[in-house]
């Protein structure tokens, strides 16, 4: 895997980034030239994952640490924990966020029971809207990457070749997230509007999971036809 130069790129923190989704994103951000930190409840676990990713071709500059240390060190953080753990993690580590930083939420509230995948109704309407309530007021929030299959993110030899729908709590949050995501090869970031759009995006994820299962595939994803490349 080749890596672009990282001068001037913001550091990306993957909060709870030791799972499949976080690892795939870490590799793709690193390949796009971003300095990457992987966070975990256990700093040793994060460092072990970084060592394994480095062997797979990840950037030798990748760093692993405890979640609060990663949050404090990064102006852009990606929340990649299971949704059930998101609010508690943010309540515990919310103090560590830099003022003016951005959190990109990729979580989706789903349940897997008796072979079925279902959307879990959230009182606030969506995972992203609930997460907004657990963030400091001076931290921006964007919801993105919710419809990308974790399986594909980890297959870094393959292009993503799809759209990433980005909603946010302000135009500035969306702009910053789009600017970052548009640098991932094969990915086009599409402005999906206010944070309330997460209600639709998260349900679309459940639809995609069920389609993938029904057709016995692992990488079904979305692209909007008729849009010009690299929308901002």
């Amino acid at each position: 895997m080749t890596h672009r130069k990282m001068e001037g790129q913001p550091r990306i923190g993957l909060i709870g980034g030791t799972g499949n989704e976080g690892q795939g994103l870490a590799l793709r951000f690193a390949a796009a030239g971003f300095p990457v930190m992987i966070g975990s409840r256990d700093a040793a676990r994060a460092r072990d994952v970084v060592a394994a990713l480095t062997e797979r071709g990840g950037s030798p500059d990748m760093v692993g640490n405890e979640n609060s240390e990663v949050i404090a060190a990064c102006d852009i953080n990606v929340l990649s924990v299971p949704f059930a753990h998101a609010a508690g993690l943010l309540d515990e580590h919310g103090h560590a966020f830099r003022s003016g930083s951005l959190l990109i939420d990729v979580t989706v509230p789903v349940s897997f029971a008796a072979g079925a995948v279902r959307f879990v109704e959230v009182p606030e309407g969506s995972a992203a809207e609930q997460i907004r309530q657990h963030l400091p007021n001076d931290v921006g929030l964007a919801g993105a990457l919710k419809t990308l299959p974790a399986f594909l993110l980890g297959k870094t030899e393959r292009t993503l070749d799809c759209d990433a729908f980005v909603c946010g709590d302000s135009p500035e949050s969306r702009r910053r997230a789009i600017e970052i995501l548009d640098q991932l090869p094969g990915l086009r970031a599409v402005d999906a509007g206010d944070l309330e759009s997460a209600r639709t995006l998260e349900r679309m994820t459940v639809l995609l999971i069920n389609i993938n299962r029904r057709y016995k595939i692992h990488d079904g994803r979305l692209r909007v036809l008729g849009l010009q490349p690299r929308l901002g």
Side-chain angles (χ1 to χ4, degrees):
M1 184 187 302
T2 58
H3 296 85
R4 303 178 191 175
K5 293 184 178 180
M6 297 188 291
E7 289 83 354
Q9 294 282 47
R11 183 183 289 114
I12 306 289
L14 280 300
I15 306 171
T18 57
N20 291 336
E21 185 173 44
Q23 292 185 43
L25 287 172
L27 287 170
R28 290 186 182 271
F29 279 123
F34 293 96
V36 171
M37 296 185 71
I38 291 182
S40 172
R41 290 177 297 178
D42 180 356
R45 165 65 175 157
R47 288 192 287 269
D48 287 345
V49 168
V50 165
L53 292 181
T54 301
E55 290 182 359
R56 289 178 55 190
S59 168
D61 300 310
M62 196 178 294
V63 176
N65 210 331
E66 194 272 333
N67 281 321
S68 62
E69 296 296 327
V70 170
I71 292 169
C74 298
D75 286 321
I76 308 290
N77 283 287
V78 179
L79 185 63
S80 56
V81 298
F83 171 70
H85 304 309
L89 185 149
L90 293 174
D91 289 342
E92 181 179 358
H93 300 297
H95 65 279
F97 283 95
R98 294 181 176 185
S99 178
S101 63
L102 176 70
L103 179 66
I104 299 176
D105 162 45
V106 304
T107 67
V108 178
V110 296
S111 67
F112 298 85
V117 182
R118 292 185 174 85
F119 182 81
V120 176
E121 295 294 339
V122 181
E124 295 82 358
S126 67
E129 288 169 291
Q130 182 180 105
I131 286 166
R132 175 64 270 175
Q133 295 190 10
H134 292 268
L135 271 182
N137 292 333
D138 58 355
V139 176
L141 176 65
L145 302 169
K146 292 175 181 279
T147 59
L148 269 68
F151 172 87
L152 180 62
L153 288 171
K155 299 293 182 180
T156 52
E157 72 280 4
R158 296 179 55 188
T159 182
L160 293 173
D161 189 30
C162 64
D163 289 335
F165 302 101
V166 181
C167 59
D169 60 2
S170 71
E172 175 65 9
S173 293
R174 297 198 303 274
R175 183 197 65 77
R176 292 174 70 188
I178 288 170
E179 186 177 82
I180 296 294
L181 297 177
D182 258 348
Q183 296 183 59
L184 298 184
L187 193 69
R188 178 179 63 174
V190 175
D191 190 334
D194 295 340
L195 205 61
E196 187 174 323
S197 295
R199 302 180 184 187
T200 300
L201 297 177
E202 292 169 11
R203 287 167 172 82
M204 287 166 60
T205 302
V206 177
L207 173 65
L208 279 173
I209 292 172
N210 283 314
I211 288 174
N212 276 303
R213 284 184 159 200
R214 187 165 293 113
Y215 286 89
K216 296 180 171 57
I217 58 176
H218 303 283
D219 55 0
R221 54 211 189 273
L222 300 173
R223 178 178 286 282
V224 178
L225 301 180
L227 295 180
Q228 296 300 312
R230 295 294 186 247
L231 295 180

